[in-house]
Amino acid sequence: EGGPPDHSYSLSSGTTSEELLRKLNEQRDIIALLEVKMKEMKGSIRRLRLAEAQLREEIREKDRLLHAASAGTRKRHGL
């Protein structure tokens, strides 16, 4: 009693070198996995940004065609 609170992430003073090494290796494995996931996500973001740019360009092109078509219709009808 009176000692620091026991947290799941804290280590007791009786932790052995082997346990510390195991925990360190587990953390390194987690970091390596997260780094791989992060690279995958960056690739996904890059692909989605490219797809978004292509879709925006398609929309601009369709808007231009619609605008040109409606302008032509107004001219034919004397508007």
Side-chain angles (χ1 to χ4, degrees):
E1 190 168 317
D6 183 25
H7 298 286
S8 61
Y9 55 83
S10 67
L11 300 170
S12 68
S13 57
T15 304
T16 65
S17 302
E18 290 81 14
E19 289 171 321
L20 287 172
L21 187 58
R22 182 181 53 77
K23 286 182 182 290
L24 176 62
N25 286 330
E26 286 174 359
Q27 293 303 309
R28 285 181 176 164
D29 289 345
I30 290 169
I31 290 168
L33 179 63
L34 289 173
E35 286 174 340
V36 168
K37 294 277 186 194
M38 191 168 64
K39 284 179 185 175
E40 290 173 357
M41 294 306 294
K42 284 182 178 179
S44 294
I45 289 169
R46 194 176 310 111
R47 286 188 300 277
L48 288 168
R49 283 188 176 143
L50 286 171
E52 178 189 18
Q54 290 171 336
L55 289 170
R56 286 184 184 277
E57 183 54 38
E58 286 180 35
I59 289 170
R60 278 193 292 272
E61 183 61 27
K62 288 185 189 289
D63 283 348
R64 279 193 291 269
L65 293 172
L66 284 171
H67 182 70
S70 67
T73 302
R74 283 195 296 262
K75 283 182 182 176
R76 280 195 302 273
H77 288 83
L79 299 175

